[in-house]
């Protein structure tokens, strides 16, 4: 992208008509989704994994955290990992929720066609000085690249007929509108990725926390039993390690999804940068 960055727009320049994508809905998701995921995570742990039918000795009057005993399978043993388990389930649900939300947003930002082909078609039309056709391509492409290109093309078309500005001033006006359009588009691409990146780091730590708490409880039971509860100790450690497994698994999924989304965002950002460079070079070549 050209390096010219004016502090104010030259006379005759208009602000780009670029629409921000789904800002209000995205803000609502970032507030509501974590709360719902925590609630759903607890319900899965308490009423799904912790269903009385999954235990030989269910605690029917346990309330918030029943002390069921005798899990009938590996799935039920996860319940005895403790109260950290529903948080880890909530982390996984958050990762899944925000991954779907980011996938839909980035898919919309990419537009309806290949970005590289779109930019080449615009370059061809600009070389032929057919600006209206280039704008029509932007309307067809949509997405972040199409929005930014269209904002620049509108100013591009206006600057052709302006006579009281030199070429450098016209380029500054085009570049300023491209930058303003870009400033509206890029934040929506990055939004909510912070949840996925945070979970990638925090999930493992919470898994280890649950394991440590479980092992403390197991060793305390061993000490109270005077050394006669070695089998209970092994059982308790095994159950505590479910926290580690859940934490590492959730963290791994979060890291993979974060890297996928950042790669796709980089591709869109590169298209936006190439759009600005294309318009600047074309105007400088065709309308010196």
């Amino acid at each position: 992208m050209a390096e010219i960055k004016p502090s104010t727009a030259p006379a005759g320049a208009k602000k780009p008509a670029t629409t921000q994508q789904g800002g209000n809905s995205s803000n609502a998701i970032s507030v509501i989704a974590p709360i719902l995921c925590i609630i759903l995570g607890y319900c899965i742990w308490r009423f799904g994994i912790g269903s009385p039918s999954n235990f030989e000795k269910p605690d029917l009057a346990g309330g918030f955290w029943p002390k069921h005993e005798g899990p009938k399978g590996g799935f039920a043993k996860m319940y005895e990992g403790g109260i950290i388990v529903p948080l880890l389930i909530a982390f996984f649900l958050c990762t899944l929720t925000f991954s779907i939300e980011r996938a839909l947003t980035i898919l919309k930002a990419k537009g309806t066609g290949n970005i590289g082909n779109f930019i080449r078609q615009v370059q061809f039309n600009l070389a032929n000085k057919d600006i209206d056709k280039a704008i029509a391509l932007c309307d067809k492409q949509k997405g972040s690249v199409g929005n930014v290109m269209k904002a620049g093309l509108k100013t591009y078309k206006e600057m052709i007929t302006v006579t009281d500005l030199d070429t450098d001033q016209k380029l500054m006006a085009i570049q300023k509108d491209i930058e303003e359009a870009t400033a509206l588009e890029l934040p929506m691409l990055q939004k909510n990725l912070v949840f996925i990146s945070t979970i990638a780091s925090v999930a493992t730590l919470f898994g280890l926390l649950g394991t440590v708490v479980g092992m403390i409880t197991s060793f305390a039971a061993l000490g109270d039993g005077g050394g006669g509860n070695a089998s209970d100790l092994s059982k308790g450690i095994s159950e505590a390690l479910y926290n580690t497994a859940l934490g590492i698994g959730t963290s791994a999924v979060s890291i993979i999804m974060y890297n996928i989304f950042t790669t796709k965002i980089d591709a869109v950002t590169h298209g936006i940068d190439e759009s600005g460079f294309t318009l600047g070079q074309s105007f400088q070549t065709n309308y010196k």
Side-chain angles (χ1 to χ4, degrees):
M1 190 180 286
E3 293 295 325
I4 304 171
K5 295 182 179 180
S7 57
T8 57
K14 294 181 180 179
K15 295 197 174 194
T18 305
T19 303
Q20 214 169 353
Q21 301 176 23
N24 292 334
S25 61
S26 184
N27 289 334
I29 290 174
S30 65
V31 174
I32 296 173
I35 297 173
L36 292 180
C37 287
I38 291 174
I39 295 172
L40 183 56
Y42 171 78
C43 291
I44 291 173
W45 174 77
R46 171 65 177 82
F47 302 107
I49 302 174
S51 173
S53 62
N54 291 334
F55 297 86
E56 295 177 358
K57 297 179 180 180
D59 180 12
L60 299 179
F64 179 79
W65 186 357
K67 302 298 182 182
H68 300 313
E69 296 181 3
K72 296 180 181 179
F75 185 68
K77 287 181 179 178
M78 192 185 303
Y79 175 85
E80 297 189 340
I83 199 63
I84 301 295
V85 172
L87 287 177
L88 293 172
I89 295 174
F91 288 155
F92 178 78
L93 293 175
C94 279
T95 298
L96 184 62
T97 300
F98 287 114
S99 293
I100 294 173
E101 186 269 338
R102 285 294 86 197
L104 294 175
T105 299
I106 293 173
L107 182 63
K108 182 178 179 181
K110 289 177 66 177
T112 57
N114 182 272
I115 293 176
N117 291 337
F118 163 69
I119 293 175
R120 284 190 290 271
Q121 289 174 354
V122 171
Q123 288 173 335
F124 176 78
N125 287 303
L126 290 179
N128 293 326
K129 299 186 178 181
D130 193 347
I131 302 172
D132 290 332
K133 193 170 183 179
I135 293 175
L137 286 173
C138 295
D139 291 331
K140 182 179 178 181
Q141 173 70 19
K142 300 179 182 179
S144 294
V145 178
N147 290 339
V148 172
M149 182 72 86
K150 184 176 180 180
L153 282 171
K154 287 183 176 180
T155 307
Y156 184 108
K157 183 177 180 180
E158 180 184 349
M159 289 299 107
I160 294 174
T161 59
V162 173
T163 58
D164 58 341
L165 298 176
D166 59 30
T167 301
D168 288 341
Q169 290 175 316
K170 293 177 181 180
L171 284 171
M172 290 169 64
I174 295 170
Q175 192 61 42
K176 185 174 188 300
D177 280 357
I178 290 173
E179 290 171 356
E180 289 178 352
T182 301
L184 292 174
E185 297 292 336
L186 289 185
M188 292 309 303
L189 295 176
Q190 299 286 347
K191 194 174 183 65
N192 292 336
L193 276 182
V194 64
F195 286 96
I196 299 177
S197 63
T198 300
I199 290 172
S201 301
V202 171
T204 302
L205 297 177
F206 269 82
L208 292 174
L209 174 63
T211 300
V212 170
V213 171
M215 292 181 71
I216 290 173
T217 303
S218 298
F219 277 107
L222 179 63
D224 293 339
N229 292 327
S231 61
D232 291 339
L233 174 63
S234 299
K235 177 182 174 183
I237 293 175
S238 175
E239 293 164 351
L241 289 174
Y242 276 102
N243 288 282
T244 304
L246 280 172
I248 292 175
T250 300
S251 179
V253 172
S254 299
I255 291 172
I256 291 171
M257 298 310 299
Y258 181 81
N259 288 335
I260 289 174
F261 291 136
T262 52
T263 300
K264 292 184 178 296
I265 289 171
D266 287 344
V268 176
T269 303
H270 177 73
I272 291 175
D273 290 342
E274 191 173 354
S275 298
F277 179 78
T278 294
L279 292 180
Q281 289 294 103
S282 173
F283 191 89
Q284 198 167 25
T285 301
N286 296 331
Y287 302 99
K288 291 183 179 179

